[in-house]
Amino acid sequence: MFSKALFYVLFATFLHILLINTGLFDHVTTELGYEMYAEKVNSVPFLPFPMPFNTLINLGYTIAGAVWLPTFKQTNDFWGESFCWYSIVYSGIQLARIVYQTQRTAVLDQWITTTIFCHVTVWVTSLPSGGVVTNFVRSIYRPVVLLVSFLSYFLSIYSEIGFDIALAVHMVVAVRAGYEAHLARGNSQSKAVFGKACVCSVGFVVLKLADLPLRDFWTPNCLSGHFLSKICDVGQIYYAAELVYVLNKNLEQFRRNFSD
């Protein structure tokens, strides 16, 4: 049976692509060209990819999504399924950006990145918890939250740092929502998972920014800052899913204890 979550993700991604292909974002700031990466081009001659390590690491998104997809599918968790499908689809988007180095694949990569963080927030705030971010998000009709996130990328048209601003806000809100969920139903296990997710988030940002500066001090070509940031990015996805899984387990245990 065709998954509603998969249809939703494919439709939303198609909508992004449709708008991008109008040319509306052809002049927004993106990083294009292999000179923007520390990894040397054709560093592994027998592989058909220009940057094999930065190319193949994108399979990690597929693995992370595929690992958790059966779990959330079994529990009929729409937002969990959607998150996993987004991770799998994002794998192909990242791959296209690295291989083709075009403006439109770069824009799609940026836009879907903010979309995924928005889905983390929507997903986590659907759990029984409270807090400033959680209560605020819940006070808004969920499609409106998704629409605001969708429109936030339009900041990139008006400012060179528009995407950076949108992404920073998405990340901070998602982390805060996760923290509030942990406070409400967490334990030592969720604390450890949340900590790992936060470390990965910091690593994702710092290592990506340090990609070119690290090149002068870092010998292994395969371990470029961008490559390591992608490992952290995959880690974010994996641990975000694990956090929700652990919190759901805690909630089930609480309900069982309460009923007894």
Side-chain angles (χ1 to χ4, degrees):
M1 184 176 179
F2 192 75
S3 167
K4 290 181 180 179
L6 175 57
F7 175 79
Y8 163 74
V9 169
L10 292 178
F11 177 79
T13 303
F14 174 75
L15 183 60
H16 285 79
I17 294 172
L18 196 64
L19 284 173
I20 290 169
N21 282 331
T22 64
L24 185 62
F25 304 97
D26 283 355
H27 300 290
V28 304
T29 302
T30 59
E31 295 179 347
L32 294 176
Y34 296 122
E35 67 277 5
M36 302 299 296
Y37 300 85
E39 183 180 348
K40 296 176 183 177
V41 177
N42 298 323
S43 56
V44 183
F46 59 85
L47 291 177
F49 312 114
M51 293 188 295
F53 295 103
N54 276 315
T55 300
L56 295 175
I57 187 58
N58 294 306
L59 295 175
Y61 297 100
T62 297
I63 295 170
V67 164
W68 287 109
L69 182 60
T71 299
F72 299 116
K73 191 176 183 64
Q74 187 177 17
T75 57
N76 294 315
D77 186 336
F78 175 81
W79 295 110
E81 280 191 68
S82 299
F83 178 73
C84 293
W85 279 120
Y86 258 123
S87 180
I88 293 169
V89 170
Y90 189 61
S91 179
I93 293 170
Q94 280 277 328
L95 187 66
R97 177 178 185 177
I98 289 292
V99 172
Y100 296 113
Q101 291 293 316
T102 65
Q103 173 70 4
R104 294 183 179 181
T105 55
V107 169
L108 182 60
D109 171 28
Q110 290 184 343
W111 207 347
I112 295 297
T113 300
T114 57
T115 300
I116 291 175
F117 275 105
C118 177
H119 276 73
V120 171
T121 299
V122 170
W123 187 20
V124 170
T125 54
S126 69
L127 301 173
S129 62
V132 176
V133 169
T134 301
N135 293 334
F136 178 73
V137 171
R138 283 182 184 165
S139 69
I140 306 171
Y141 189 43
R142 193 169 287 163
V144 174
V145 175
L146 296 171
L147 179 61
V148 170
S149 170
F150 180 80
L151 294 176
S152 69
Y153 188 73
F154 282 76
L155 287 171
S156 62
I157 298 176
Y158 303 102
S159 171
E160 290 186 356
I161 61 171
F163 166 68
D164 300 313
I165 294 171
L167 179 60
V169 172
H170 277 78
M171 291 184 70
V172 169
V173 171
V175 169
R176 178 64 192 185
Y179 179 66
E180 290 174 356
H182 160 67
L183 288 180
R185 287 285 180 265
N187 55 13
S188 59
Q189 185 181 5
S190 65
K191 180 179 180 181
V193 174
F194 178 74
K196 292 173 184 178
C198 288
V199 169
C200 286
S201 292
V202 173
F204 166 64
V205 175
V206 172
L207 289 168
K208 186 172 184 179
L209 292 174
D211 185 34
L212 291 177
L214 275 176
R215 182 171 55 183
D216 298 328
F217 306 97
W218 197 259
T219 303
N221 179 60
C222 61
L223 299 178
S224 66
H226 188 272
F227 173 78
L228 295 175
S229 78
K230 288 302 167 187
I231 294 178
C232 291
D233 199 15
V234 172
Q236 286 186 104
I237 290 174
Y238 182 89
Y239 290 122
E242 185 177 8
L243 177 64
V244 175
Y245 172 73
V246 171
L247 292 174
N248 276 331
K249 275 204 318 181
N250 292 346
L251 179 60
E252 290 173 8
Q253 184 63 47
F254 172 80
R255 287 171 175 167
R256 281 198 297 268
N257 293 340
F258 184 78
S259 63
D260 291 341

